[in-house]
Amino acid sequence: MKVVSVVGARPQLVKLAPIAAAFAGTEHQHVIVHTGQHYDADLSDVFFSGLGIPDPDVHLGIGSGTHGVQTGNTLAAMDPVLEAEKPDWVLVYGDTNSTLAGALSAVKMHLPVAHLEAGLRSFNRRMPEEHNRILTDHAADLLLAPTEEAMRHLAGEGLASRSVLAGDVMVDVCLRIRDAVLAGEHPKPVLPEGIDADAPYLLATLHRPDNTDDPERLGAILDALADLPVPVALLAHPRLVAKAEQHGLKLGRGALHVGRPLPYAGLVAAVLGSAGVVTDSGGLQKEAFLLDRVCTTVRPETEWVETLEGGWNRLVPNPHELGRSEWAAIATRPAPGTDRGIPYGDGKAAQRVVEFLEQHKR
Ligand code: UD1
């Protein structure tokens, strides 16, 4: 069996790691196509080296652009690659513009498409990712769902016959790296200047266009974070840095200490060292949950609803709309003592993905 994985953005590289490892133990041929949606070393190269992913076989070098330019250029660049490879499966990951372009290119060439992390829904049509995931699910031939909730969404859209419950491959990679970090196999993460790793701190990330692109909203969120009673380590995504500069907003002030994005093991170590997480990232909400840290999500909704059970994750659409003390109490709350079960699976999802691809091969 020959499988082409199409990846391009940071969260897809994390998901690729356990899949590439699962293929490495088989006779199957696994071809990695990097679209180049993310190209900064911080957002791309360190994930290949840090997670032991083989170098991409093909690099499309697409880079940044408007949604149409990025998606369209990737779509056009995929055609000759798929024409040459003629794989048994095209495997696309998550919900980025690279996901949609990879899926669309493959279905138009009558190549079977499998969608990893299928069935997630925010029901927020302002999010580019919501369109990407719905369109990809409806185009794909095999829907690899991470959770029971995702399976329900797919059934609700008439896609049950193409859906299988694989579990979440992020559990595979997150728990493996957690164990390596706890065993001292990775150097200490480079935290932003001013953060004392031995004293309580919150770990924060912000990158969603809904939070970064409107100057008033971004200013309000930064004000609220800067006002918190504990130091906040803000790992700044390039979109946040660019938008803050464009809006004339200072990132490092008050409780806020700004640093660069971390490699995956560094991120896991930084979460483990923190008193809690504040984010708008989907992946980080789940990493906090898997690593036993409370999370506060600066969004009106989440695709990962299981993290909300028992209060491990709390949604705060706009911290500025809350009183200072109420917001601070939420962001710095202690971990609840509730048992969360294993809604994201047992850490063997990647193996199951390979088996499903074998079973459903045309
Ligand atoms: C993308 C995904 C999002 C995912 C996120 C993870 C889409 C629609 N969005 O958002 O779902 O959560 O990746 O990070 O696909 N930039 C750089 N260097 C890079 C990449 C980007 O400086 O290596 C800057 C550019 O100014 C670019 C902006 O960041 O325009 C946004 O990058 P883009 O890939 O378009 O979307 P993300 O916000 O990263």
Side-chain angles (χ1 to χ4, degrees), residues 35-335:
T35 65
Q37 176 169 350
H38 284 175
Y39 43 86
D40 280 4
D42 282 354
L43 296 191
S44 179
D45 303 7
V46 296
F47 288 85
F48 282 89
S49 50
L51 293 172
I53 308 171
D55 285 343
D57 298 278
V58 181
H59 203 297
L60 304 180
I62 298 301
S64 300
T66 61
H67 289 282
V69 165
Q70 197 171 52
T71 311
N73 285 347
T74 310
L75 183 54
M78 281 300 299
D79 281 0
V81 175
L82 295 182
E83 182 63 45
E85 296 290 347
K86 296 192 173 50
D88 297 296
W89 284 109
V90 176
L91 182 58
V92 295
Y93 298 64
D95 54 19
T96 73
N97 291 340
S98 297
T99 315
L100 178 60
L104 213 47
S105 167
V107 290
K108 291 202 178 267
M109 296 177 77
H110 308 295
L111 292 168
V113 178
H115 183 203
L116 185 85
E117 211 174 75
L120 292 188
R121 297 291 180 266
S122 66
F123 302 101
N124 177 352
R125 289 174 57 81
R126 280 185 52 78
M127 289 179 69
E129 292 82 6
E130 185 71 355
H131 300 286
N132 288 342
R133 48 174 92 99
I134 291 173
L135 292 166
T136 302
D137 280 341
H138 284 257
D141 302 275
L142 180 63
L143 303 172
L144 300 156
T147 61
E148 298 275 5
E149 179 77 1
M151 289 292 280
R152 281 190 284 278
H153 292 153
L154 293 168
E157 293 174 27
L159 300 173
S161 65
R162 290 189 251 156
S163 307
V164 291
L165 181 59
D168 188 342
V169 298
M170 276 192 53
V171 177
D172 306 21
V173 61
C174 185
L175 299 187
R176 173 169 74 84
I177 299 295
R178 175 200 63 188
D179 293 345
V181 165
L182 293 176
E185 290 168 23
H186 289 279
K188 290 207 177 330
V190 182
L191 292 172
E193 233 179 274
I195 295 288
D196 176 359
D198 298 321
Y201 66 88
L202 295 177
L203 189 73
T205 73
L206 280 177
H207 77 283
R208 297 264 160 224
D210 261 2
N211 284 335
T212 58
D213 292 9
D214 171 22
E216 249 177 69
R217 182 170 169 83
L218 179 59
I221 294 171
L222 293 173
D223 285 348
L225 288 171
D227 241 14
L228 284 172
V230 265
V232 179
L234 177 64
L235 307 179
H237 182 286
R239 174 193 280 282
L240 173 65
V241 175
K243 290 292 173 184
E245 195 176 309
Q246 190 184 324
H247 304 328
L249 295 166
K250 195 165 162 28
L251 290 177
R253 56 195 156 101
L256 271 174
H257 301 270
V258 187
R260 298 167 69 91
L262 289 171
Y264 194 71
L267 178 86
V268 167
V271 172
L272 286 169
S274 77
V277 167
V278 180
T279 191
D280 58 8
S281 149
L284 191 49
Q285 289 173 54
K286 219 164 6 131
E287 278 141 4
F289 182 85
L290 294 170
L291 299 171
D292 295 324
R293 293 297 177 277
V294 289
C295 183
T296 305
T297 298
V298 189
R299 280 182 51 192
E301 74 284 303
T302 177
E303 297 80 9
W304 303 106
V305 290
E306 301 80 5
T307 59
L308 300 173
E309 291 282 321
W312 282 90
N313 187 10
R314 288 269 310 260
L315 298 174
V316 179
N318 187 349
H320 205 62
E321 284 166 8
L322 300 176
R324 265 176 74 172
S325 57
E326 191 185 357
W327 153 240
I330 293 172
T332 61
R333 70 195 186 280

